[in-house]
Amino acid sequence: MLANVTSAALVGIQAEAVHVEVNSNEQGEPRLILVGLPDAAVRESCDRVLTALSNCGFPALRTRTTINLAPGDLRKEGPMYDLPLALSLIASGGRLPAERLAPFIIAGELSLSGQTRPVRGALAIAQLARRLGKQGVLISEGSAAEAALVPSIQVYPIRTLLEAVDFLTGKSVLRPFKSPGVTGEILSVKGTPPIRRLDFADLKGQFAVRRAIEVAVAGAHNLLILGPPGSGKSMAAKRIPGIMPPPTPEEYLEILCVHSIAGRTLRESLHPRDQRPFRAPHHTVSDAALLGGGAMPGPGEISLAHHGVLFLDELPEFRRSVLQVLRQPLEDGEVSISRRAAKLTFPSAFMLVAAMNPCPCGYLGDNRHQCRCPPSMIERYRSRVGGPLLDRIDIHIEAPALSIAELRSAQLGESSDAIRQRVLAARAIQQARYGPSAQTVNARMSHPQIREHCTLTAAQADLLQAAMERLSLSARAYDRILKVSRTIADLAGSDSIQSLHILEAINYRTLDRAVF
């Protein structure tokens, strides 16, 4: 008897339909044959599923049975096929009406006792069900909350194999999972401790750094903080998510989809509704871990930072090859990975925040410590970053060493809430300016938008030209100065760019005017 169950395979950040076809009562020695390009985890599912069926009271396999995972040219990975395999075997044995399986996409891992375990990619699986016009999704209980974020689709949480069989045969009623949706204030998980938000009020001094960070976040500009050890570079960077605007519902779904595809469960990856991702990989990270990779490529750190912040501390300590692969994702907002199995594209529209010492010893320009690095060593140290990458960083700001008086001061700095209000006001101006366009921040303005929204007077153009010639800036740096100037004008509530705005933007090109 032939039974067919629809499941899914994860391809990039999307899911593609997989048809689990089971044909039983074949002539030959009783055994299970699995075809359709399964990986090792899927092949292991056969033993796991047969044991789960036995422990749930279903008869052992008595005939030759063939299972086909179609389409045959799409690689199937992971244990998500346990539940559809078990249900299709039951249906092929006549103990479950095969037509009852058709309205659903089914996914879930099984334990040997028949209990279900969460699977990755639940959000993408629910989106596939909506795209195919299915009635709903039968999925492991641990993944139901994630899948239920997709509107207009019914998600049935399955705790055990027997519960799924009883529901499909009509012996019991299973209620769809109720989700607050992506518009809820906070999607909390029971037992998860509240997230303590870091506040800029804890940061002593560094008023220039605070201002540069405010400008960077207001326009989603890339930022580099240069300063000696202990000047507060990392402390300031870790407080950036607290002043960023909350993601839109569409952005929030994209964030969760990337994290789900990467194998992070709901409990591990879900942030409060108004919090953006913050990723801080160690400087020993590999190219594949940063960009994404594997036989069937998965998302890397830059995709996990999508719509959030990628923080690279001690920037020159990263391998040069790792830094250079950032150039294309910074420009395009996505990364393409080619492997023999597939060529996939992952989103990577992140804000890059980097920190570095001014020299190998870290004390160049520090009045309290003597720098012993020769100019050639300093130049070699800074050249590890590379000019093309520096060109793509809009704002370079110095964080000088704090004095003892500043460290002893009990006065709190400006709070993150106050800074966030100004950032939100500037973002609202940009949203009104670009309208329904996908470009909703100044950092991602196209060339036609730069010409339209960053017009300069003759005197301002001469001022910028003089700075370009004196600092030997590139054409890319010219555009970025205009974008930063537009953001500074938005923070000031000005309809047009003023000379002071241009001068401040030029002042943020610290490394372009460095002299060794």
Side-chain angles (χ1 to χ4, degrees), residues 213-262:
I213 288 175
E214 181 179 333
V215 173
V217 175
H221 301 287
N222 300 321
L223 171 71
L224 172 62
I225 307 175
L226 182 77
S231 59
K233 305 185 297 293
S234 300
M235 186 178 183
K238 291 175 182 178
R239 281 153 176 76
I240 288 177
I243 64 172
M244 298 183 79
T248 64
E250 293 78 12
E251 290 174 337
Y252 192 57
L253 278 179
E254 288 181 24
I255 292 168
L256 291 184
C257 194
V258 172
H259 281 243
S260 177
I261 293 295

Side-chain angles (χ1 to χ4, degrees), residues 105-177:
I105 287 184
I106 303 173
E109 180 182 352
L110 291 176
S111 69
L112 297 183
S113 64
Q115 301 283 329
T116 63
R117 294 192 175 108
V119 295
R120 66 187 182 99
L123 194 63
I125 292 170
Q127 290 173 331
L128 172 66
R130 184 176 62 178
R131 196 163 68 240
L132 296 179
K134 295 287 186 178
Q135 176 185 329
V137 174
L138 298 185
I139 200 163
S140 310
E141 184 183 37
S143 301
E146 182 184 316
L149 292 173
V150 178
S152 306
I153 198 74
Q154 292 181 321
V155 177
Y156 295 91
I158 303 299
R159 290 176 294 181
T160 67
L161 174 60
L162 286 175
E163 184 179 61
V165 173
D166 289 344
F167 168 68
L168 291 170
T169 55
K171 293 181 180 179
S172 65
V173 176
L174 197 60
R175 296 184 181 276
F177 188 92

Side-chain angles (χ1 to χ4, degrees), residues 412-426:
L412 295 177
E414 190 177 28
S415 69
S416 292
D417 288 339
I419 301 173
R420 191 185 196 200
Q421 292 306 312
R422 295 195 295 270
V423 168
L424 291 174

Side-chain angles (χ1 to χ4, degrees), residues 258-312:
V258 172
H259 281 243
S260 177
I261 293 295
R264 300 173 61 85
T265 67
L266 189 69
R267 184 180 297 274
E268 291 170 340
S269 68
L270 205 60
H271 295 277
R273 170 64 182 83
D274 59 351
Q275 198 81 339
R276 290 177 180 266
F278 181 86
R279 305 293 299 179
H282 192 260
H283 63 259
T284 58
V285 68
S286 66
D287 301 21
L290 191 69
L291 288 182
M296 179 61 74
E301 290 290 340
I302 63 173
S303 295
L304 292 172
H306 183 53
H307 292 316
V309 175
L310 177 69
F311 177 47
L312 302 183

